Amino acid sequence: PAIIIVPGAISSLVTLYNVKEFLREGKFISTMEQKKKSSKKEDIVAFKRQVKTGEVLTYHVIDNITKLSREDW
């Protein structure tokens, strides 16, 4: 899967709270607004998205690089 690293700071525009809606649906919801809906932050956000060619890509989004293994690099 493709690995995307987002900032861990709650003041960032894109975080683990709102990244799925942003990348998958193209819809921006502020981190604070999304946090109110879902108070628990996931360690990893995984989702699939179909691109124009019809291929389905898998994404894993994290905010802490220490969760990556040596093979991930």
Side-chain angles (χ1 to χ4, degrees):
I3 298 172
I4 300 171
I5 303 168
V6 296
I10 195 73
S11 60
S12 299
L13 290 176
V14 178
T15 64
L16 287 180
Y17 285 105
N18 65 355
V19 70
K20 186 184 285 189
E21 290 79 9
F22 184 69
L23 293 179
R24 192 165 139 200
E25 301 168 20
K27 183 168 58 168
F28 178 77
I29 302 171
S30 74
T31 297
M32 294 309 287
E33 184 178 339
Q34 191 66 19
K35 186 174 186 241
K36 288 177 188 176
K37 293 179 186 177
S38 166
S39 60
K40 183 177 180 277
K41 183 178 87 168
E42 299 178 43
D43 289 334
I44 184 170
V45 173
F47 65 95
K48 295 180 183 210
R49 182 171 184 249
Q50 186 171 0
V51 293
K52 291 181 182 181
T53 62
E55 182 180 6
V56 176
L57 301 177
T58 302
Y59 297 89
H60 289 174
V61 186
I62 61 170
D63 67 357
N64 183 347
I65 62 169
T66 61
K67 296 176 185 172
L68 296 175
S69 68
R70 184 179 189 110
E71 291 77 30
D72 292 327
W73 292 101

